[in-house]
């Protein structure tokens, strides 16, 4: 899998609660490169989802920096290429980060097509006809082209999650963030969602995935992060992490989940 230069640099990221007595993130540093499929694993409460949600400031860090496209998005202001001080527009940066949650967050009163075209039209000013053409192509790609006029209540959980993924893709993001996208699904629906994610990976989409699906981490990820107690304990290729774990904490984790 080809990867390019660094897209997001995370440095000494911290997220503390209750005056620092709870450290959800405790000094995490990592580079996310163009084309990476980075899979984040670890026990419940390890900070995985907090790390992911911090990348687009859904969680506001207590300390550290997140540099995305050359801009530290944890700061209220930054200097542009001409040296001028500019106020950070976090919504602008979020447009370049697609986010898929455990729950689908589709608007129940809108058809699938309307769910998908709302943001491109309202936020990016795309023509409705152009947005619909793009949305239909994406729905076809995930096997739901015939359901464009359906409402979310008419879909299975797996179908809803596939729609949630292609809805995020409609914004043409530079990176996709997945927060345990299969954990709310019935077991027989997990595969259809992972298949869409595998296809995205093959197409070179930069992805950061928090998941309990170890098979997906092994097969699709090019980098695996293991987190525990708010810290990044170990990172490496799937082969290094799964076949040659170094830390006792990781070995203990695998003894319980594999």
């Amino acid at each position: 899998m080809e990867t390019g230069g660094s897209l997001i640099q995370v440095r000494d990221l911290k997220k503390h609660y209750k005056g620092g007595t709870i450290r959800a993130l405790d000094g995490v540093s990592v580079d996310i490169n163009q084309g990476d499929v980075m899979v984040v694993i670890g026990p419940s409460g390890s900070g995985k989802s907090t790390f992911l949600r911090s990348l687009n400031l859904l969680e506001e860090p207590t300390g550290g920096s997140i540099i995305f496209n050359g801009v530290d998005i944890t700061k209220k202001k930054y200097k542009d290429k001409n040296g001028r001080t500019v106020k950070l527009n976090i919504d602008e940066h979020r447009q370049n980060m697609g986010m898929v949650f455990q729950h689908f967050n589709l608007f129940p009163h809108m058809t699938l097509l309307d769910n998908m075209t709302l943001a491109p039209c309202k936020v990016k000013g795309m023509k409705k006809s152009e947005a619909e053409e793009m949305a239909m192509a994406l729905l076809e790609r995930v096997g739901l082209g015939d359901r464009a006029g359906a409402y979310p209540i008419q879909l299975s959980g797996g179908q809803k999650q596939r729609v949630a993924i292609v809805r995020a893709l409609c914004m043409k993001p530079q990176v996709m963030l997945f927060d345990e996208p299969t954990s709310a699904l019935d077991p027989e629906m997990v595969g259809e969602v992972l298949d869409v994610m595998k296809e995205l990976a093959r197409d070179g989409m930069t992805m950061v995935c928090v998941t309990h699906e170890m098979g997906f981490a092994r097969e699709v990820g090019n980098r695996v992060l293991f987190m525990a107690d708010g810290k990044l304990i170990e990172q490496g290729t799937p082969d290094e992490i799964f076949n040659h774990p170094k830390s006792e904490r990781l070995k203990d984790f695998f003894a319980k989940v594999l």
Side-chain angles (χ1 to χ4, degrees):
M1 188 183 300
E2 290 288 317
T3 61
S6 182
L7 181 64
I8 304 173
Q9 298 100 42
V10 179
R11 295 290 176 268
D12 198 27
L13 194 64
K14 297 182 175 78
K15 178 65 178 180
H16 297 170
Y17 299 97
K18 295 190 175 177
T21 54
I22 297 172
R23 301 188 172 198
L25 292 175
D26 197 13
V28 174
S29 296
V30 69
D31 283 356
I32 301 162
N33 299 319
Q34 195 88 40
D36 265 346
V37 179
M38 181 179 280
V39 183
V40 188
I41 63 172
S44 294
S46 60
K48 306 183 301 293
S49 288
T50 305
F51 166 70
L52 191 81
R53 291 165 65 86
S54 295
L55 293 178
N56 64 0
L57 297 197
L58 287 179
E59 291 278 359
E60 212 158 304
T62 309
S65 59
I66 301 164
I67 298 159
F68 178 48
N69 284 333
V71 174
D72 184 351
I73 62 172
T74 65
K75 302 283 188 286
K76 298 273 191 283
K77 295 178 179 175
Y78 67 96
K79 291 233 184 312
D80 69 8
K81 289 173 186 172
N82 300 314
R84 292 174 302 199
T85 300
V86 179
K87 192 177 177 188
L88 179 81
N89 181 349
I90 188 58
D91 291 331
E92 209 172 272
H93 290 279
R94 282 184 182 139
Q95 287 175 34
N96 291 311
M97 291 185 180
M99 184 99 188
V100 179
F101 300 92
Q102 296 175 24
H103 299 285
F104 327 110
N105 301 324
L106 299 173
F107 292 113
H109 63 290
M110 297 171 75
T111 66
L112 304 194
L113 192 61
D114 288 340
N115 262 286
M116 293 177 65
T117 55
L118 180 66
C121 293
K122 292 273 188 195
V123 179
K124 288 206 160 177
M126 199 180 280
K127 287 182 185 168
K128 189 158 177 63
S129 58
E130 189 186 338
E132 286 183 349
E133 188 180 331
M134 176 181 64
M136 284 303 303
L138 286 166
L139 282 172
E140 290 284 353
R141 183 174 167 182
V142 298
L144 292 171
D146 60 337
R147 308 304 305 275
Y151 289 86
I153 197 169
Q154 297 171 287
L155 304 184
S156 70
Q159 289 172 326
K160 286 177 191 169
Q161 195 59 296
R162 281 187 274 161
V163 173
I165 291 171
V166 292
R167 178 183 57 179
L169 290 174
C170 279
M171 292 297 285
K172 300 182 179 175
Q174 290 175 275
V175 57
M176 287 284 284
L177 309 176
F178 293 90
D179 189 8
E180 298 189 22
T182 59
S183 65
L185 300 179
D186 292 334
E188 67 267 23
M189 294 174 185
V190 168
E192 63 190 61
V193 173
L194 292 181
D195 284 345
V196 173
M197 294 170 68
K198 286 174 191 174
E199 191 180 322
L200 286 179
R202 282 194 292 270
D203 288 351
M205 171 61 77
T206 306
M207 297 159 64
V208 185
C209 316
V210 170
T211 186
H212 293 294
E213 301 290 334
M214 296 299 141
F216 176 83
R218 252 188 217 271
E219 182 189 343
V220 183
N222 71 311
R223 293 173 67 200
V224 180
L225 308 188
F226 172 66
M227 292 184 67
D229 307 314
K231 295 180 185 291
L232 175 54
I233 306 293
E234 208 166 320
Q235 64 172 305
T237 64
D239 177 58
E240 287 165 345
I241 293 294
F242 285 96
N243 300 328
H244 310 285
K246 296 187 183 78
S247 66
E248 288 306 316
R249 188 71 184 81
L250 180 53
K251 290 174 189 173
D252 178 58
F253 175 72
F254 282 149
K256 290 172 180 162
V257 301
L258 294 181

